[in-house]
Amino acid sequence: MNRRSFLLSAGGAVAHPLLSSLAPKSVLRAAAQSPAKSDASRAAVDHTLTIQPCTLDISPGVSVRTIGYNGQVPGPMLRLRQGKPVSIDVINKTDHEEIVHWHGLAIDSQNDGAMEEGSPMIPAGGRHRYTFTPNPAGTRWYHTHAGAGADLSRSTYTGQFGFLLVEGANDPGHYDQEVFLAIHHWEPSFVPMAETMQAMSANHPANPGSDVGYKYATINQHRLGAGEPIRVKQGQKVLMRLLNASATENVVLALPGHTFRVVALDGNPVPNPKEVEVISLAVAERVDAIVEMNTPGVWVLGSTLEKARQMGLGIVVEYAGKSGPPVWRDPKSATWDYAQFANNTPAAKPDESVPLAFIDLGPQGDSKFDTWSINGQSWPKIDPIKVQKGKRYRLVMQNASNDQHPMHLHRHKFEVAAIGDSNISGLKKDTINVMPLETVAVDFVADNPGDTLFHCHMQLHMDFGFMQLIQYAG
Ligand code: C2O
Ligand code: CU
């Protein structure tokens, strides 16, 4: 019996509501096909996502009005087969242009879902079909790639995100139960920088954060304490697939009494799986971790920051036969080091190194937002990085600012070559958090011709200059 059928047949072991999206794949298919039975080409579609307004009841008496896929947040879980072509129709039922990006997939520029690479915007009321072959295997996700600018009711501030799992050769090891946990923050507003600085100071003394603040946070569709807990049994191994789908907030999580065995970062198996007490998830990052359930009780899996837990950033883990209020305990330390999951040998030598300095230019003109630059240039007035097919490039990112920047490379994965002074290898990611005043080097092989976007994933940063294109020669 494979794991999936185990999950489906185990009934009670399928704890989380999101897991019900394992079963309804056939339902999704049926839904996708029914509106267009007469249209042969539409009948061939594998999935349909409808972008539409929806209201979420995130905790008793608290609801948020947002935009999501198919009326649910997170959007439907897309389980795709590695190497098997897929077509996904997207219907835009909003009054503005939209676009969907398939984050972490090595696909073509037209279907990748970034306007800057040449993918089309979907007009208000329009429909668009994406077709691609999912690769590589692992925990990926999809989300809107529209700009928001100063409009906090748009783009990744909304509920437009979902898991996309590419099933293939990756084997995370034995587990009994699989849960998908996506983090999001709600009701954004502009706040003075000092306020976020204070909130963040417990864990990130050097980081003032962004100047967007939030009222609520959720894991999947509920705030901490609302909705169903993750129900576990003593001795079970639970595979947690964690995603930070927040527009701008990096988070650190812990589960008191337990450790996380990190097996994959951004969906890619790590060379050196390790047990850690806390998990850091910068915006857009994924962590796959196996938790052995060996401390019976009722616990809070949540942010290490009390203020964030009060906003709702957590979910209850409940052992069978246990009851009572969920317990939180601060972890001994909240530090995170990517290098511990890597090989401590240097990565292969690149053909070329590209130095990239991240500089905060401050507010430009009458803008009230800081403009961000790479080597002094800001999107859209920024020269592309030119690459040649087959060569290996090292992006040497020097963060000359006081903010954290989760840097994302589209259509390629990169190998982390250095975090500060430690030279490492084997760690493959598509997003990496560059801490204030830190230097991080990542290598990628130019193996997927077509325009490629490289940007900070903080919505407020990418909307205000922090993007650059990589272009293939010839
Ligand atoms: Cu997850 Cu350019 O995005
Ligand atoms: Cu940034």
Side-chain angles (χ1 to χ4, degrees):
M1 187 158 60
N2 66 29
R3 284 191 194 92
R4 189 159 161 228
S5 57
F6 169 77
L7 276 168
L8 293 177
S9 61
V14 181
H16 199 274
L18 237 196
L19 280 178
S20 58
S21 51
L22 289 182
K25 192 173 183 183
S26 52
V27 177
L28 270 180
R29 284 235 165 102
Q33 290 175 2
S34 57
K37 270 188 187 124
S38 58
D39 182 332
S41 74
R42 277 186 189 175
V45 76
D46 297 291
H47 299 280
T48 300
L49 298 175
T50 301
I51 307 168
Q52 60 192 78
C54 59
T55 301
L56 309 175
D57 298 315
I58 58 174
S59 61
V62 179
S63 58
V64 293
R65 185 85 185 137
T66 187
I67 301 169
Y69 297 115
N70 298 3
Q72 66 183 87
V73 176
M77 216 231 325
L78 302 179
R79 276 190 186 259
L80 308 179
R81 198 71 216 161
Q82 182 180 20
K84 182 174 182 273
V86 67
S87 56
I88 303 175
D89 277 3
V90 177
I91 302 166
N92 179 7
K93 286 199 179 157
T94 71
D95 59 6
H96 55 269
E97 289 187 322
E98 268 302 343
I99 189 165
V100 183
H101 168 52
W102 318 96
H103 182 125
L105 297 181
I107 57 179
D108 63 286
S109 301
Q110 284 296 307
N111 284 285
D112 189 48
M115 188 186 65
E116 298 80 0
E117 296 173 343
S119 302
M121 293 300 291
I122 310 168
R127 178 181 191 122
H128 181 72
R129 175 167 299 180
Y130 293 90
T131 53
F132 55 84
T133 303
N135 245 312
T139 313
R140 316 288 166 212
W141 66 299
Y142 61 98
H143 63 85
T144 171
H145 212 281
D151 184 349
L152 301 184
S153 68
R154 290 284 174 86
S155 194
T156 59
Y157 298 108
T158 72
Q160 291 175 78
F161 60 88
F163 277 100
L164 188 164
L165 193 66
V166 181
E167 296 180 309
N170 279 1
D171 184 4
H174 167 80
Y175 58 89
D176 304 298
Q177 196 187 156
E178 182 182 35
V179 291
F180 290 81
L181 303 169
I183 290 159
H184 196 67
H185 291 79
W186 302 100
E187 309 260 303
S189 61
F190 293 112
V191 295
M193 279 227 180
E195 205 174 305
T196 13
M197 202 181 302
Q198 232 174 15
M200 298 292 285
S201 60
N203 278 332
H204 308 289
N207 176 42
S210 74
D211 50 347
V212 174
Y214 300 85
K215 221 163 143 184
Y216 306 119
T218 51
I219 293 186
N220 297 338
Q221 58 273 68
H222 289 112
R223 295 172 71 204
L224 175 59
E228 287 294 299
I230 301 173
R231 295 185 200 282
V232 303
K233 293 195 180 84
Q234 183 166 8
Q236 269 190 340
K237 287 191 170 144
V238 177
L239 173 61
M240 296 186 176
R241 298 192 194 261
L242 298 145
L243 157 68
N244 185 348
S246 180
T248 60
E249 292 283 295
N250 295 343
V251 306
V252 179
L253 300 175
L255 174 58
H258 299 78
T259 54
F260 303 92
R261 182 175 170 79
V262 173
V263 294
L265 293 181
D266 295 350
N268 307 315
V270 299
N272 189 20
K274 266 201 106 173
E275 296 209 4
V276 293
E277 211 186 343
V278 298
I279 282 182
S280 164
L281 277 171
V283 172
E285 286 188 310
R286 286 88 67 213
V287 171
D288 293 351
I290 292 180
V291 181
E292 206 174 317
M293 294 298 164
N294 47 20
T295 314
V298 182
W299 302 100
V300 172
L301 164 58
S303 168
T304 53
L305 296 180
E306 190 182 1
K307 197 177 169 192
R309 291 195 304 279
Q310 282 163 356
M311 286 167 62
L313 189 39
I315 187 167
V316 174
V317 173
E318 188 181 293
Y319 280 70
K322 295 287 168 186
S323 57
V327 174
W328 173 260
R329 272 190 234 130
D330 286 326
K332 284 191 286 295
S333 133
T335 58
W336 174 258
D337 177 15
Y338 291 116
Q340 65 187 319
F341 310 110
N343 299 320
N344 57 10
T345 50
K349 274 214 163 52
D351 296 300
E352 243 180 77
S353 271
V354 185
L356 301 169
F358 302 155
I359 302 158
D360 183 351
L361 299 178
Q364 303 288 295
D366 52 11
S367 168
K368 45 181 222 178
F369 308 106
D370 289 16
T371 291
W372 293 93
S373 77
I374 301 174
N375 294 340
Q377 294 183 316
S378 298
W379 185 270
K381 289 184 190 152
I382 181 167
D383 302 324
I385 300 169
K386 296 278 190 190
V387 298
Q388 281 174 304
K389 190 174 180 223
K391 285 196 172 171
R392 182 181 175 95
Y393 293 87
R394 178 161 298 174
L395 305 177
V396 183
M397 302 179 280
Q398 187 208 337
N399 183 358
S401 80
N402 287 318
D403 260 322
Q404 302 179 24
H405 302 294
M407 300 304 301
H408 171 46
L409 179 64
H410 279 233
R411 306 179 57 247
H412 302 72
K413 60 180 161 189
F414 52 70
E415 180 176 5
V416 184
I419 307 273
D421 292 334
S422 46
N423 297 309
I424 55 175
S425 59
L427 200 63
K428 310 271 175 76
K429 288 176 64 53
D430 57 55
T431 306
I432 191 158
N433 195 26
V434 185
M435 297 296 279
L437 308 177
E438 184 183 62
T439 297
V440 167
V442 300
D443 293 0
F444 72 98
V445 176
D447 58 1
N448 191 12
D451 285 1
T452 299
L453 197 59
F454 170 69
H455 64 91
C456 176
H457 216 288
M458 296 251 192
Q459 191 69 48
L460 194 66
H461 295 180
M462 67 182 286
D463 284 343
F464 291 89
F466 213 149
M467 295 203 285
Q468 189 167 23
L469 262 192
I470 294 171
Q471 279 181 333
Y472 282 73

